[in-house]
Amino acid sequence: MKKILQQLVPSVLLLISCQFCTAQKKNISGSKGLKDAYIADFLIGTALNTGQIEERNLKSNELIRQQFNAVTPENCMKAEHIHPEWDRYDFTLPDKLMAYSQKNNMKLNGHTLIWHSQLPRFAHRIQSVDSFRTFFESHINTVASRYSGKIFSWDVVNEALNEDGTLRKSVFLDKLGPDYIVEAFRLAEKASPKTELYYNDYNNEQPLKRAGCLELVKKVQAAGVRIDGVGIQGHWHLGKVPFAAIEESILAYHALGLKVMITELDIEVLPRKFQGADVNQRQASNPALNPYANGIPDSILAQQAKDYEELFRLFLKHRDKITRVTFWGVDDGQSWLNGWPVPGRTNFPLLFDRQLLPKPAYHAVMGLKK
Ligand code: 9MR
């Protein structure tokens, strides 16, 4: 009997320890993320690039599925990619993203139908107003109707305003006049009737631009056309997050009956000369502008955690008005801020580091829900 027991004990122990390993693994992959912590408040989203949509990196994919319940394509639904030639559309990657979001129960926000930037080259060459109108209409019809019934929301128009609240001088304004925004919403509503429709911009929490944004929304509403929400992009800077202006804007947009979203959140830690996200503004490279290439001090990470914490405290205060908070990327290595406005820098704007590990800012945001 004793002998049998002696033989059995090691196998039983092995069995127990293996079960423990599996439980541990399950725990890791199944542990709660931001999306779970904030489930009763608002969606937590991220922007995805090609590699992430194609699930090329296992660890990154696991992190995305663990943390987020909303996704926005960082680039692949922009006109230059999805509509590269007059009569040719490329839905390969957008279709993969649609399938990815369905498979993972994530809400997909289409970004973006009408934007002056990242337009296909042919669009700039169109001379006649009639042809440009045909491009404008068929682009919205074709792209929006393809995902009708499946896509949760669209950024119908992106960045149509100047900093002073006037309409940006773009090819759309030039060719179609100021009513192009109302028209874009009208067409999107027709092509994708069940999808939420948003206007999206950066710095539209700032007073002048906010006033312009409110006017724009009122004009769409007055035309009897549906607009469901406004996206405040949220490209902010360490130690300079404009909390008061953000709160005033949430209230002002909500007062028009709109849902409010933070759509491209990051808190940049490197110096630059201006606020916002106008991709045409650049600065020359210079080592003084890249101080943390060999590592970021703990004090900076602590300040960033404080900024994110205060921001999420504000979002929670207005959880009845905010429907989604989306980060512009998953981890610091992916961020567009490594290449803009100064090329080749090492930036640290997000909640996960280059090893995909949570930063102090992540723990601060999660801490609010403990
Ligand atoms: O993150 C995007 C980057 O990969 C592109 O090169 C860039 C080109 O315009 O666009 C970035 O995303 C922008 C978004 O679509 C609209 N708001 C500003 C974002 C950062 O530039």
Side-chain angles (χ1 to χ4, degrees):
M1 182 64 186
K2 196 175 164 199
K3 205 164 172 206
I4 295 175
L5 268 180
Q6 270 172 350
Q7 279 174 348
L8 267 180
V9 166
S11 353
V12 170
L13 280 179
L14 186 70
L15 194 74
I16 292 171
S17 72
C18 278
Q19 296 247 316
F20 183 68
C21 289
T22 322
Q24 284 275 59
K25 273 186 203 147
K26 263 193 201 145
N27 256 344
I28 291 164
S29 56
S31 76
K32 303 280 183 214
L34 289 163
K35 68 172 169 54
D36 307 296
Y38 283 83
I39 192 80
D41 307 307
F42 34 73
L43 296 165
I44 301 279
T46 187
L48 297 183
N49 64 21
T50 306
Q52 291 162 329
I53 294 168
E54 296 192 330
E55 302 179 68
R56 288 185 201 156
N57 179 319
L58 230 95
K59 204 176 154 201
S60 160
N61 193 38
E62 191 178 346
L63 183 67
I64 294 165
R65 292 170 55 226
Q66 180 188 50
Q67 299 292 335
F68 304 104
N69 51 15
V71 283
T72 300
E74 188 174 1
N75 285 300
C76 75
M77 283 183 162
K78 293 173 181 172
E80 75 172 352
H81 298 291
I82 208 167
H83 190 178
E85 289 166 54
W86 175 263
D87 51 4
R88 187 169 71 83
Y89 290 82
D90 183 352
F91 293 114
T92 320
L93 208 50
D95 282 359
K96 278 190 192 170
L97 176 61
M98 191 73 246
Y100 179 86
S101 69
Q102 287 177 321
K103 173 172 90 179
N104 291 306
N105 282 322
M106 295 164 171
K107 301 259 192 296
L108 175 54
N109 174 59
H111 176 82
T112 168
L113 292 171
I114 296 300
W115 188 27
H116 66 279
S117 191
Q118 287 183 280
L119 275 176
R121 226 176 290 158
F122 79 85
H124 288 288
R125 289 200 223 101
I126 302 172
Q127 294 294 327
S128 88
V129 168
D130 281 353
S131 302
F132 194 84
R133 185 170 292 283
T134 304
F135 156 70
F136 175 80
E137 291 179 358
S138 47
H139 178 76
I140 298 177
N141 285 338
T142 311
V143 176
S145 52
R146 183 173 185 93
Y147 300 105
S148 179
K150 299 186 216 159
I151 201 162
F152 182 73
S153 53
W154 269 109
D155 292 335
V156 178
V157 177
N158 192 45
E159 301 175 8
L161 292 166
N162 291 315
E163 297 307 285
D164 66 1
T166 57
L167 284 186
R168 181 192 285 269
K169 202 174 156 9
S170 72
V171 62
F172 296 104
L173 182 64
D174 190 37
K175 289 275 192 316
L176 306 175
D179 288 343
Y180 83 88
I181 296 172
V182 175
E183 279 319 302
F185 277 89
R186 199 193 303 276
L187 291 164
E189 182 181 12
K190 193 153 173 254
S192 195
K194 296 209 173 100
T195 299
E196 294 196 357
L197 307 175
Y198 308 143
Y199 175 74
N200 190 51
D201 214 328
Y202 59 85
N203 283 354
N204 55 343
E205 75 281 0
Q206 296 297 332
L208 287 178
K209 203 161 179 177
R210 181 202 310 149
C213 197
L214 291 166
E215 281 316 302
L216 180 158
V217 170
K218 283 186 199 158
K219 197 171 162 186
V220 178
Q221 291 175 329
V225 174
R226 180 162 62 85
I227 174 167
D228 299 289
V230 162
I232 298 173
Q233 291 185 5
H235 294 294
W236 290 310
H237 211 283
L238 189 80
K240 294 186 202 156
V241 180
F243 295 106
I246 297 168
E247 182 160 32
E248 282 157 24
S249 303
I250 294 170
L251 294 169
Y253 293 135
H254 178 72
L256 288 187
L258 299 173
K259 297 176 180 176
V260 183
M261 280 129 288
I262 309 298
T263 52
E264 305 186 12
L265 180 58
D266 41 30
I267 299 184
E268 183 181 0
V269 300
L270 298 181
R272 64 162 145 126
K273 289 194 207 133
F274 55 93
Q275 294 275 317
D278 185 342
V279 285
N280 298 315
Q281 283 183 285
R282 307 250 163 186
Q283 267 180 262
S285 188
N286 160 1
L289 295 175
N290 193 21
Y292 313 132
N294 299 318
I296 181 163
D298 287 348
S299 58
I300 303 290
L301 292 178
Q303 168 75 55
Q304 188 183 46
K306 203 166 149 269
D307 283 355
Y308 266 118
E309 183 177 331
E310 202 168 328
L311 204 44
F312 272 76
R313 191 168 284 130
L314 179 63
F315 297 160
L316 281 172
K317 180 175 169 196
H318 296 292
R319 57 198 278 277
D320 57 325
K321 307 168 191 78
I322 294 176
T323 54
R324 169 167 57 91
V325 176
T326 289
F327 294 86
W328 206 239
V330 177
D331 64 278
D332 287 343
Q334 173 196 350
S335 172
W336 69 295
L337 291 166
N338 294 304
W340 184 90
V342 183
R345 295 201 295 181
T346 309
N347 220 327
F348 302 82
L350 296 166
L351 298 192
F352 297 93
D353 68 14
R354 287 170 166 71
Q355 281 70 51
L356 304 175
L357 296 172
K359 293 161 64 183
Y362 174 83
H363 297 299
V365 172
M366 282 299 258
L368 288 173
K369 296 300 296 183
K370 292 252 158 77

